[in-house]
Amino acid sequence: MKNVPVVKLGIIAVSRDCFPLELSIRRRRAVTAACLKKKIDIVECEKTVENENDALLALAEARDKGVNALVVFLGNFGPEGPTSLMAQRFDGPVMVAAAAEESQNDLIQSRGDAYCGMLSNSYNNGLRRLRLYVPEYPVGDSEEVAEMIGEFVPVARVLLGVKGLKIFSFGPRPQDFLACNAPIKPLYDLGIEIMENSELDLYDICQAAKTDPLVKPTMESMSKELGTGNTYPELIERLAWYEVALRRFMEKHLGASRFGIFANKCWPSFQKYFGHVPCFINGRLAAEGIPVSCEVDIYGALSEYLAACATLLPPTLLDINNTVPKDMIQANRAHMKEYKPTDLFMGFHCGNVSSGCMIKPSIQHQLIMHRLLEPDRPPTITRGTLEGRIQVGPITLFRLQSTADTQLKSYLAQGEVLDIDPHSFGGIGVFAVKEMGRFYRHVLIGKRFPHHTAVAFAHAGKTLFSAVKVLGVEDVSYNQPADQRYADENPF
């Protein structure tokens, strides 16, 4: 993916000056070796921190070595003040972990007490109001700490992505959708830039793109990607104009940001002026880590982007759309596994899922828009969806959203797409999530989330949960197991 950060990890060991310095150095080297054995690239910073001056020197070393995500390793108890100061001054995501004791035969001169040091470190981080990544059980031997570091990599990628992100929107946000009208102030609180533009701006840049030299290779790329699914070859040039226009706009307006995504108005006026729907382009750009959300859903685009950073796979944005008919369930008992009917729903959107995440996709027209915009003639301006079944396999539903009073909240639920033909149109699949019915009622409805969900085509719940907590989101929901009740769930 071209539009996501590349994480360059560094590790700095810290040492309380009344403990052996060599203990932290030796344990740091062992963690580094374990990381390299697991093919986790990490830069070992030689300076070990015992005091504030050491912290400054270690930070300079990390900066000179290009480190953008830092592992602070307590090889022994560690100096609380200098350690938290270093984390505060590091310009990127920080993880803290500690060394477990190694042998019953060496608990006098080589006892490090890092288990205790983590407590003091946490207290001092709180004094500085720091939000750091702390593994679920942050103390371990070299192999275990290396595993923790491996899990930190995608979390760091999400955090770096947010830090360098700019959202471009085109068109007014529709009145009907909270998803689109949610406040943008929390985006600035996260360090995200946003640039809102009109549909006329979008039309203008698209007209200018018609003579762009990038149009021809874009058409060739589209045709190659679609193969036999290129059902409207005469439409490809128009679609290429639109894609090139978005790429050029992003290149020109990233400014101080490193990464860009889009939230664009896509109907009903779009079709009349552009002569197509934008869905296929949305999916193509998402495959590069540049999600383009439908209906100016700014938080939907952001949620997609976080999913892309977490997985390095194309994300998509779907409606949590419709129930699965009972006769379809009965006809597909062999594919139902252990799921109940209320665990199922259909995920759908017009045609914005990336081609690599679909089964035999092809360019079609948007049926609902056709009914509205050109009901008495063959589809013309409503063509451009990429339709077909969504691929079978693991998924994560994810949303980061602002409430009307600017409070951030989020949800996650892992599940899968089942091998069941949905017998419908658009980009669509039969989704299964354990206890989805209760999650639907007590999280999606109960906490007033909008109908759009970002979909990651992998199980990414652990990464995304950790990332949004480090971002400071306190209200994070997930699908509770059957034996765990939601706070507002009727106990009778």
Side-chain angles (χ1 to χ4, degrees), residues 10-15 21-22 24-26 28-29 32 42-50 54 57-63 65 67 70 86:
I11 183 169
I12 295 176
V14 299
S15 174
L21 178 67
E22 179 57 34
S24 272
I25 294 174
R26 174 171 58 80
R28 181 200 69 210
R29 288 172 178 165
T32 303
I42 192 165
V43 173
E44 184 177 8
C45 295
E46 296 296 329
K47 186 62 184 176
T48 303
V49 174
E50 292 185 291
D54 289 341
L57 291 171
L59 285 171
E61 181 184 355
R63 182 180 61 249
K65 290 180 175 179
V67 170
L70 181 62
M86 181 169 64

Side-chain angles (χ1 to χ4, degrees), residues 30 49 67 71 82 84 98 105 133 173 186 206 221 286 308 319 367 372 388 483:
V49 174
V67 170
V71 177
S84 59
N105 299 319
Y133 174 76
R173 286 172 270 168
C206 195
S221 171
D319 289 351
L367 177 63
L372 176 69
D483 60 350

Side-chain angles (χ1 to χ4, degrees), residues 46 78 113 136 193 204 221-222 245 249 295 299 359 377 429:
E46 296 296 329
D113 297 358
E136 289 302 306
E193 294 296 318
D204 183 52
S221 171
M222 289 177 174
F249 188 88
E295 298 155 357
Y299 283 92
I359 300 170
R377 61 179 182 178

Side-chain angles (χ1 to χ4, degrees), residues 134-148:
V134 180
E136 289 302 306
Y137 182 70
V139 185
D141 60 24
S142 58
E143 294 288 326
E144 291 164 338
V145 172
E147 288 287 343
M148 300 174 204

Side-chain angles (χ1 to χ4, degrees), residues 246-273:
L246 293 181
R247 290 184 185 278
R248 294 303 194 198
F249 188 88
M250 180 172 153
E251 290 172 3
K252 184 177 180 181
H253 295 285
L254 268 179
S257 301
R258 294 185 59 202
F259 313 108
I261 62 178
F262 292 90
N264 294 353
K265 188 76 174 290
C266 56
W267 77 306
S269 56
F270 182 98
Q271 289 69 33
K272 297 176 183 178
Y273 292 90

